[in-house]
Amino acid sequence: MPTALVNDKPVEIAPDERLNCIQVAARGGVEIPAYCFHPSLSVVASCRMCLVEVGDTKPDGTVVMQPKLVPGCQTPVKDGTVIIANSPKVIEARKATLEYLLLNHPLDCPTCDQAGECYLQDYSFRHGRSYSRLQEPKNIKPDKNYIGEQITLFTDRCIMCTRCVRFTKEISGTSELLVINRGSAEEIDIFPGNPVNNKLAGNVVDLCPVGALCSKDFLYKQRVWWLNSAKSVCPGCSTGCSVNIDQNDDVVHRLKPRENPQAQGMFMCDEGRFGWKYLTAEERLKMPEHREAGQTVSRDWNSILKSLRSTVEQTAKKTPRKVAAVLSPWMTVEEAYLLAKWLKGVSNDVVLALGPVNTVGEDDTYPKDVHGRPVQPVKFTIRAEKAPNRVGVEKVLQHFAKTIVPFSDIVGRAGAGDFELVYLVGGDPAGWIDDSQARAFKQVKTLIVQDLLPSSVSSEAAYLLPGGSFAERDGSFVNHAGLAQEIHKSVRSPGQARPDGRILWELTGRTGLFHAANLRKEIGEAIPGLVALRPGQLGELGVRLNPSQAAVQNQVVKA
């Protein structure tokens, strides 16, 4: 096995790996600071923060060091490479580099959104000097609020790492950002009339290692040290981007991508990044209701669930073929399993169907060329399928119902009067049922609606159950490629709304508290197609239900 030495510590690398000094040092637990380097972008070696001493081990065992410091991001590592990242020479170079980068940097950390997660702050503390020798006035440059609809540029904070420029050129392919002027007048800007409004634009804020590019949506809203993060999955489409949900006082403030080579890589689209505002919408369903003859009978969860369970069981035993349930592709695997197992346990003749899967256009791939046409290799895909868990719900339906009944069949049969009781689960914030479909369910004697937001059918429900959003639930989603990932509760549901897992756990008469991880053990043992969900399998990055799909997906992510 090829081996490199990092600060006299051996670090193994695979024969086919192409790594630089920063990556090999990180594997050995040594940090080499860097601003311009990013593993998904081309190497420019412009910030000079990663300067290290590098040498080679000769066949006779002697080590020959290069006479000058070299940028670690641009220096490949092979068997016998020697990297010294803690010598006095390297330490002095870092101090000098930081002093240069901070010459004109404003002292606005108390107001900067990046404070608390800023590379300048962290590296200055660990590697810099505690004083400045600058005697002249700082070079102050005007801010640029016109950069994009979602981002703003504080020009005087920029250290010209060009990560943002390379992203728009290499990942989105839209090339809106560029470097203008030279020398001390160098700045990031856009082509006139061509702001950064592509569907991946928000990623340049994440890429910026300082506080130059900021999100207008998050600007001056919170200090990052007040935020608590929960690992989750973006539900905006079937790509299943791994994300962190950042919240404070039960209010979500931002979603940020979480690196996952099995899912989306290191980025996420703006549709998912900014599409969570429905969590705090005034229209959210917040109170359960039991209605009879159009009048509210009860708004108490305990009495409603008790009455609902009795009604479903009695109807299913009496006329099982006249009972149907629609399982939404926005449900978690655990929620779909609870409802399907309970209903099929009451009667095997109960009809189970898949809820509507919203599809918008075609898959949108990046990068693109100057004409907006997709370019190979694909580095990011926004899926046309706008549902997070169709695959997972279908696995549950195939096990319990042996076939996938489409929502249109249920609508048609409901309009024909074939059903006495229908349990509808919604959850799609973009809407999942139209007025003509809702009219069909007026023929149903007992209509149960479990949803997030009001719809054209919720007003007709005998039982209305306000559920939780993806940020308010624990469970698992399975993306288009069969990657199962956990979602974790980050905030509490508004009003008396409840996480769907808790609603179904109590409705089905199970004792104790809903616990997704324990339920996945039961699911893994009961459903062969979901055996990968057994405890200890998912981890932070998820697990493939079909491992053979991993190689194909990884090729796309690495491209």
Side-chain angles (χ1 to χ4, degrees), residues 483-532:
L483 176 67
Q485 299 180 81
E486 286 186 85
I487 64 171
H488 294 284
K489 181 178 179 179
S490 175
V491 295
R492 286 175 290 189
S493 301
Q496 291 193 37
R498 288 183 176 181
D500 295 54
R502 179 184 174 186
I503 295 173
L504 294 169
W505 184 270
E506 296 180 8
L507 175 62
T508 55
R510 296 194 176 221
T511 58
L513 299 175
F514 172 79
H515 190 263
N518 289 342
L519 185 57
R520 281 196 292 273
K521 179 181 179 181
E522 179 182 331
I523 295 171
E525 294 173 351
I527 303 178
L530 296 173
V531 67

Side-chain angles (χ1 to χ4, degrees), residues 33 36 44-51 69-71 74 93-94 97 101:
C36 66
V44 293
S46 63
C47 74
R48 317 309 281 183
M49 193 65 206
C50 63
L51 293 174
L69 298 180
V70 298
Q74 205 175 38
R94 287 175 185 164
T97 299
L101 292 174

Side-chain angles (χ1 to χ4, degrees), residues 443-464:
Q443 309 299 321
V444 178
K445 179 181 178 182
T446 304
L447 184 63
I448 305 155
V449 177
Q450 181 176 316
D451 209 348
L452 191 69
L453 296 164
S455 67
S456 52
V457 77
S458 56
S459 60
E460 304 295 329
Y463 294 90
L464 182 62

Side-chain angles (χ1 to χ4, degrees), residues 304-349:
I304 288 175
L305 292 179
K306 182 178 180 180
S307 171
L308 176 54
R309 181 167 57 249
S310 176
T311 300
V312 171
E313 291 179 348
Q314 288 178 11
T315 307
K317 290 177 180 177
K318 183 179 179 181
T319 54
R321 298 182 185 275
K322 291 183 174 291
V323 174
V326 175
L327 277 60
S328 168
W330 284 72
M331 299 176 80
T332 65
V333 172
E334 294 82 356
E335 295 157 4
Y337 175 81
L338 282 172
L339 184 56
K341 180 178 174 61
W342 174 55
L343 292 174
K344 283 296 184 178
V346 176
S347 174
N348 195 48
D349 292 328

Side-chain angles (χ1 to χ4, degrees), residues 173-408:
T174 46
S175 300
E176 300 97 338
L177 291 173
L178 72 157
V179 179
I180 62 171
N181 306 324
R182 290 294 181 265
S184 61
E186 195 173 41
E187 296 178 17
I188 301 295
D189 211 328
I190 59 171
F191 287 105
N194 189 31
V196 189
N197 292 333
N198 67 75
K199 293 183 179 180
L200 306 182
N203 290 289
V204 300
V205 176
D206 301 329
L207 285 169
C208 185
V210 295
L213 286 165
C214 292
S215 168
K216 293 179 180 178
D217 187 66
F218 184 70
L219 196 63
Y220 306 135
K221 297 289 179 63
Q222 288 282 304
R223 308 308 303 192
V224 298
W225 50 83
W226 292 342
L227 299 175
N228 295 305
S229 292
K231 293 179 173 60
S232 190
V233 177
C234 175
C237 76
S238 60
T239 294
C241 293
S242 300
V243 299
N244 285 319
I245 304 175
D246 290 342
Q247 63 86 18
N248 182 32
D249 291 335
D250 276 330
V251 177
V252 174
H253 289 282
R254 67 179 182 182
L255 262 59
K256 295 189 70 175
R258 177 166 51 91
E259 181 183 0
N260 188 346
Q262 296 192 94
Q264 86 290 358
M266 306 186 77
F267 308 113
M268 69 182 297
C269 75
D270 284 4
E271 293 176 14
R273 184 187 298 271
F274 304 115
W276 51 268
K277 303 302 175 61
Y278 61 87
L279 271 63
T280 55
E282 287 295 323
E283 301 80 38
R284 280 286 301 271
L285 297 174
K286 301 174 183 178
M287 187 74 67
E289 283 190 65
H290 175 200
R291 306 177 184 129
E292 290 182 1
Q295 301 297 318
T296 300
V297 175
S298 174
R299 290 187 171 179
D300 176 69
W301 271 111
N302 292 332
S303 63
I304 288 175
L305 292 179
K306 182 178 180 180
S307 171
L308 176 54
R309 181 167 57 249
S310 176
T311 300
V312 171
E313 291 179 348
Q314 288 178 11
T315 307
K317 290 177 180 177
K318 183 179 179 181
T319 54
R321 298 182 185 275
K322 291 183 174 291
V323 174
V326 175
L327 277 60
S328 168
W330 284 72
M331 299 176 80
T332 65
V333 172
E334 294 82 356
E335 295 157 4
Y337 175 81
L338 282 172
L339 184 56
K341 180 178 174 61
W342 174 55
L343 292 174
K344 283 296 184 178
V346 176
S347 174
N348 195 48
D349 292 328
V350 171
V351 180
L352 299 180
L354 176 66
V357 181
N358 188 18
T359 302
V360 180
E362 300 178 349
D363 290 353
D364 190 12
T365 63
Y366 293 85
K368 298 184 183 297
D369 63 17
V370 293
H371 302 291
R373 296 174 299 209
V375 176
Q376 297 293 330
V378 174
K379 297 182 180 179
F380 192 89
T381 302
I382 303 173
R383 301 283 165 184
E385 182 182 288
K386 304 301 180 184
N389 195 32
R390 173 190 57 81
V391 175
V393 173
E394 283 185 349
K395 292 284 186 183
V396 173
L397 289 173
Q398 286 168 352
H399 174 75
F400 286 104
K402 311 305 180 187
T403 184
I404 306 299
V405 178
F407 181 60
S408 57

